[in-house]
Amino acid sequence: MQVQQISISEKGLSSPLHLDFSPDLILMFASSKIKKINDFANQVAEAYPNSIITGCSTSGEISDEIVSDLSVSLTAINFEKTEIMKAEAIIKSMEDSESAGKNIADQLNQKAGLNHIIVFSDGLNINGADLVNGLNSNIPDGINITGGLAGDGSDFQSTFVINNGQVTDKLIVGIGFYGEHLKVGCGSQGGWSSFGMERKVTKSTNNILYEIDDKPALELYKSFLKEEADNLPGSALLFPLSMRIKEGARPVVRTILGVNESDQSMTFAGNIPKDSYVRLMKANIDHLINGAEESANVAKKHIDVQAELAILISCVGRRLVLKQLVEEEIEAVKDSLGEQTQITGFYSYGEIAPFGQFSSCELHNQTMTITTFTEV
Amino acid sequence: MKKEWHRLLKRQLKKLNIQEETLVELESLLTQINDAYKSYDADFYRLENILEESSQELFIANQSLKKDIQTKQVELESTQDQLDIILQQVKHIVYETNEESNFSYLNNEWEVLTGLKIKDCIGKPFADFLYLTSDDLKPKLIEFLKSNNDYFDHVCQIDFHETGKTWVKLSFKIKRDKHNVPIGSVGTIMNINELKKTELELRESQEKERKANNAKAEFLSTMSHELRTPLNGVIGITNIMLMEDHLPSQVDNLKALKFSSNNLLGLINDILDFNKIEAGKIDFENREFNINYLIDGFNATYKYNAAEKGILFKIKMDNEVPPTLIGDSMRLSQILGNLISNAIKFTEKGKVTLDVETISETSDDICLRFSVIDTGIGIEEENLKNIFEHFKQADKSTSRKYGGTGLGLTICKQLLLLQKSDLKVMSQFGKGSTFYFDLTFGKSDRMVNSATHQHLIEPSYSGLGNINVLVVEDNKMNVMVLTKFLNKWETQFDVTVNGEEAVKACQNKVYDIILMDIQMPVMDGYTATKEIKKLTNGSEKTPIVALTASALYEIRQKILTIGMVDFVSKPFNPIELYEVLKTYSKA
């Protein structure tokens, strides 16, 4: 397995791309603010017509241990014994999320020897939880799915997904990895902690939350944000919600994608069912960095060999908390995985990963989700 | 770059790509920045720790509260279940309504009484089932809702279509929240059909009893009147015989005859009076009268009776009692007369005293105590409580020895009770009794000459001189008695048998006095009096005296109103008749 990791600045995009080898897969995580991304994608697709090219827009590009904006983090991968396949699904509206996921899983499951799936999805026009449900529905046990929702800085305006030469929104791309020679490790940890009372969701529809404890959700939420309330929905990333479907269930983290002042509702990256329990969450820098390291440790435990490539999908919320220290969490991962592991990735609007080694995949928020690849 | 520096500082410096020698130059500044970062971090972690701890406390407290609530909820539900079981056993409807007055709870009895299913009625308006089916409930409820009352109670007949008309007692209480705003009601509906049936039966039997009592009273009244008429004759003839020449051997018989017939008349009058009291047909007058005349009258009447028995009759009266009082003198006279004649009857030696004293006095009223004190046989203590009962005397031997019905005291007591007073008695067996009562009279400054008769002296029955008397009387016996008297007193007189004839007689001749019966065929005494008053030949000024068998106090007002000057009661008391003729014919 060959891996080449490059970080290209906005200026550098106009120069032709020269890779050391002809890759099977090219991953591109690009800033949503880069204007020439279409041209660049076309150029790459023309230069490497036999490669599968995919990726998405970000809230920060990770390349090696550097986090950049206004760049493209490009990873070229050439497998020796592993076959890959691409599947895509268009979503017209949010209601299509589950069927799109199912569609991708169906396509990728056609081919024998499926080992792992990576998914990149539009970050705004999607119900991430439904997408994951769809993906899960037609996948054999033991096959993990990882991936993420495209980001748009902290603006929540528009995201895109790269599908070979095409750059578009309302699209989901899945890559299937086939064969047993590929060892995949997964870890997804947060480092956030809940605080205050557990409150009951008293009114909601899918991923739109209207009332908590019979009070308007947005009003309650704003009372915790104070002056940060003016920066919604971006500032909502500072206060995700911990949600559990019922008492005793494992809590998941939900971040806010948008707010609606007129009906005081909040739209989340995943579903918030009525009668579920929510708690506000907070983070501190140490916990987040420890979380990232823990995530790497989990991914490492999956496989007992040195990872050759690690794809880091971290939540934009973490970036907003870590600020200038954002690279500390990348370094913590790198320290755990070792110098030889190449690192790529992006800050996202949602992460897809299994909870643990044997559980099905979930949509996460506020985690550092790591997928490692090694061919043996 | 120093290893122990704050990581943010290290990262910032690393990004700047500063030369090592520059770092050395800036070391003191960087140390300060480092200290600031670390101290900021320390503060931050301290605050975070506080937040973490209090958040944990809050969470635990909240969870335990939730648990408590859950436990309470379970307890509440179990209590509600128990309550529900009890309520379902209750044989009345128990219901609850919410703030919109819709049923929120109904127990099983609802189905039993109304025939409606509970599930069809819950959430429906209370009004739909209740007041629309009862005519008088709705206005009652509207009135109730306007009031500030919280408790409603009403008995009505409700027509439940399924089970028919049912008498129910509807009771409920308005529930209010802490701001006193009504939030519904809790109530019961009791099926009182059986109770109502019993009540109606009871009322019916009461009505029957009342009717039977009325019939009895009517009968007694009629009988008494019927008895009185022939008795009038007997007394009248006896009086005449006593006045006329008779054999000396007959005196005792005639006196016995007079005594017995008077006694009989008294009994009949008592029965009539008693009957009226029982029927509640007693009215009291409020007129001015002269107490002195009244008391003097007793003196005249009973001095002789007492003397006949060889005892004394004495009168003591406060000098301060004003002569003119306002009240019912007839009834006072009746009560005192009864008590005095009783006292005389039961006293063999010693004396009977009438004592009148002032108890209290205001500028308008005076309260007098009348006591009749005798030195007679007295009453045994165990009999004291019985003596006011109907037809009771102290014991049976008493009635055998002294006669009488025992109604007198009952009547006195009743008459006093009706005037908010009472008749009381103190007695020592063998030593004598005292009957006394207090009565309040109005005071008046006017002097009145009493219309009551004054039997001051035993008349001498000397001739009345040449006076013209017109007798209007349809009863032949009465006419005969009157004729005897008038002849004896040497008067001129004409007799007519009804009002019409009387009017005719007056048109032709002006009489000095007219004795007018009240109840007569063809034209009664009232009408005849009115007609005579209309004449212009001088007869209109002739004094007209009523002859009446009715109790005087009942008709006196009417007699005086239509212009009659006085009355003479039947059977005629010759003394009374004589006085009347003497007084008015000379006017």
Side-chain angles (χ1 to χ4, degrees), chain A residues 211-225:
Chain A
E211 284 176 12
I212 303 174
D213 284 346
D214 295 317
K215 287 178 194 115
L218 188 58
E219 189 183 303
L220 175 80
Y221 197 78
K222 277 184 169 177
S223 71
F224 282 90
L225 285 173

Side-chain angles (χ1 to χ4, degrees), chain A residues 19-270:
Chain A
L19 295 172
D20 300 345
F21 51 87
S22 180
D24 296 322
L25 175 65
I26 298 172
L27 297 176
M28 295 202 297
F29 304 118
S31 165
S32 54
K33 305 295 184 285
I34 286 182
K35 286 166 190 133
K36 292 177 179 168
I37 189 64
N38 273 306
D39 296 346
F40 181 67
N42 273 325
Q43 183 209 318
V44 175
E46 275 170 30
Y48 298 97
N50 297 322
S51 303
I52 291 173
I53 304 166
T54 188
C56 62
S57 62
T58 76
S59 295
E61 302 87 50
I62 301 167
S63 185
D64 199 10
E65 50 188 87
I66 306 296
V67 176
S68 319
D69 292 304
L70 288 173
S71 75
V72 174
S73 172
L74 188 144
T75 313
I77 308 152
N78 196 28
F79 295 104
E80 285 165 34
K81 301 163 190 168
T82 305
E83 288 184 55
I84 60 167
M85 188 170 106
K86 179 168 72 83
E88 59 205 60
I90 293 167
I91 39 163
K92 289 199 181 81
S93 71
M94 263 196 202
E95 284 79 58
D96 299 336
S97 303
E98 185 164 356
S99 60
K102 207 170 164 182
N103 184 1
I104 299 253
D106 278 348
Q107 290 179 48
L108 297 177
N109 206 21
Q110 300 285 317
K111 191 176 164 77
L114 183 63
N115 183 337
H116 187 81
I117 295 173
I118 281 194
V119 171
F120 301 108
S121 163
D122 181 305
L124 296 171
N125 301 299
I126 189 91
N127 181 328
D130 288 350
L131 169 68
V132 172
N133 284 340
L135 286 166
N136 275 331
S137 63
N138 275 351
I139 294 292
D141 284 350
I143 305 299
N144 282 330
I145 306 162
T146 53
L149 308 187
D152 178 23
S154 55
D155 295 340
F156 294 88
Q157 293 296 318
S158 76
T159 62
F160 57 78
V161 171
I162 300 165
N163 180 23
N164 289 348
Q166 187 192 7
V167 176
T168 178
D169 63 352
K170 297 189 177 176
L171 181 72
I172 301 154
V173 172
I175 308 292
F177 298 84
Y178 302 85
E180 24 183 85
H181 296 285
L182 186 70
K183 297 291 175 197
V184 184
C186 305
S188 180
Q189 298 288 318
W192 292 72
S193 52
S194 314
F195 71 97
M197 293 188 302
E198 191 164 51
R199 298 165 202 266
K200 196 171 189 178
V201 174
T202 46
K203 189 181 171 192
S204 73
T205 355
N206 298 326
N207 58 339
I208 303 170
L209 173 63
Y210 295 98
E211 284 176 12
I212 303 174
D213 284 346
D214 295 317
K215 287 178 194 115
L218 188 58
E219 189 183 303
L220 175 80
Y221 197 78
K222 277 184 169 177
S223 71
F224 282 90
L225 285 173
K226 290 266 174 187
E227 51 265 45
E228 282 287 344
D230 296 337
N231 301 326
L232 276 169
S235 58
L237 294 163
L238 297 169
F239 281 111
L241 289 185
S242 158
M243 178 203 83
R244 44 183 193 164
I245 303 290
K246 56 181 192 231
E247 271 180 86
R250 186 206 294 258
V252 291
V253 182
R254 288 279 179 263
T255 51
I256 290 148
L257 297 184
V259 296
N260 184 342
E261 290 285 346
S262 67
D263 63 3
Q264 291 285 296
S265 71
M266 306 195 289
T267 304
F268 285 80

